Amino acid sequence: MTRIPPRSGTAFELAKGASLTVIDPEGSQVSDLLAYNAQDVREVISNGRTFDYEETLHLSTGNRLWSNRSNPMLSIVEDTVRRHDFLLTPCSTATFEHFYPEKPVHRGCFGNLAEALEPYGIGPDDIPTAFNVFMNVPVDGESGLIAVKPPVSRAGDRIVLRAEMDLIIGLTACSAYDSNGGSFKPIDYELG
Amino acid sequence: MTRIPPRSGTAFELAKGASLTVIDPEGSQVSDLLAYNAQDVREVISNGRTFDYEETLHLSTGNRLWSNRSNPMLSIVEDTVRRHDFLLTPCSTATFEHFYPEKPVHRGCFGNLAEALEPYGIGPDDIPTAFNVFMNVPVDGESGLIAVKPPVSRAGDRIVLRAEMDLIIGLTACSAYDSNGGSFKPIDYELG
């Protein structure tokens, strides 16, 4: 088990067939997840292609996360939360300035992911909308309005994803106030 | 006024401050729209950043479409339809094979956009989720389920967007059966 400290991020390889378990050790903490084809990092996780093929915004056990080239990258094989987000982008200097103008600016998940992914030849412009594990973004179907609410995950909750190709994964303990109910906690992960 | 023939696409420059009017001349026809910073095409329209800052899935008059670098690219200044989609990716060879296995495969908006954008140094992997003008994708807020319904646009309906930076625009008359109520019609556009 590896711990990602609060407001930080990491990156690692995940071989085809291996599993990634993301655990919320204290509860109500978001983890932004990115995935790239390890053989060609221009192939990347895509919310739009995933919504195309899965036909739902609520991705959970049995759903797959797809790439911009229409290939499955990850399958969700276990999920004790069933509430994640794939609409919103990683928090960043710009989003801190926009949403929290009175608070200290943080580089956010975007800055943490950019630094962690740089050794793999992945730059800031290669960061798309992330799969935001445990992030709770209800949608009002009538008005279209979206809101960022505290995660419903409790201590020990987890999601398990299986790699459908050799991947580079980026993963964070999210840094934004609203996403995490106002506090910042670690995220644990395990490879299997 | 310029006409995009059924199941085709085009690309052009749009200077900061200029306006782009997209018109549905016959009704119930989708047009996929992409935007790139003309000075640096790695800056590109982003559904996630747009949902972040606009806080709604229903983008219409007064909303802005944002880039992956958190800059406004286009402002919607007029809209007679008020129903567009920013969740789904351009139809492609892969989506035709997936959704219409019994029908002839078409390269779709993705192939049309890739060809039209190639002279600007924009490749297929640089095509993100498009802003799908007139596309009707209701979301069930409870279940998360999404569906592709015929557009509600009628003959002569339009949307007007103002460029907030110098842009390269990609624009199509969409090629997919479900998006357009089962038929394929042209799209008109006008620069002002």
Side-chain angles (χ1 to χ4, degrees), chain A residues 20-192:
Chain A
L20 164 65
T21 303
V22 182
I23 301 146
D24 184 349
E26 300 181 11
S28 208
Q29 173 63 40
V30 167
S31 174
D32 286 15
L33 184 154
L34 293 175
Y36 299 83
N37 177 342
Q39 270 78 57
D40 179 354
V41 297
R42 296 303 308 279
E43 181 166 14
V44 59
I45 196 169
S46 164
N47 67 345
R49 288 280 176 231
T50 301
F51 296 147
D52 276 339
Y53 295 123
E54 301 300 320
E55 304 185 51
T56 182
L57 303 186
H58 289 182
L59 301 155
S60 186
T61 307
N63 290 121
R64 294 187 286 183
L65 308 182
W66 294 71
S67 80
N68 59 331
R69 296 184 192 162
S70 287
N71 296 311
M73 300 190 101
L74 290 157
S75 294
I76 302 175
V77 295
E78 187 190 330
D79 178 10
T80 66
V81 176
R82 306 185 66 81
R83 177 59 67 141
H84 315 284
D85 170 68
F86 210 178
L87 295 171
L88 302 180
T89 41
C91 57
S92 67
T93 300
T95 64
F96 272 87
E97 288 169 347
H98 181 94
F99 290 107
Y100 314 111
E102 76 294 351
K103 294 203 165 103
V105 170
H106 193 275
R107 68 179 185 175
C109 288
F110 189 87
N112 289 330
L113 288 163
E115 181 176 292
L117 291 165
E118 193 278 336
Y120 298 98
I122 297 164
D125 286 332
D126 300 315
I127 295 178
T129 305
F131 181 63
N132 303 304
V133 175
F134 311 135
M135 190 171 183
N136 181 14
V137 183
V139 173
D140 183 312
E142 280 303 306
S143 69
L145 293 173
I146 56 181
V148 177
K149 300 290 186 187
V152 298
S153 51
R154 288 175 296 187
D157 268 330
R158 68 188 56 215
I159 186 172
V160 184
L161 305 111
R162 186 182 62 232
E164 300 298 344
M165 62 172 73
D166 291 341
L167 296 172
I168 308 296
I169 298 287
L171 196 66
T172 72
C174 175
S175 310
Y177 299 91
D178 289 350
S179 312
N180 306 296
S183 71
F184 309 115
K185 291 141 286 178
I187 284 288
D188 290 342
Y189 71 95
E190 196 165 34
L191 308 183

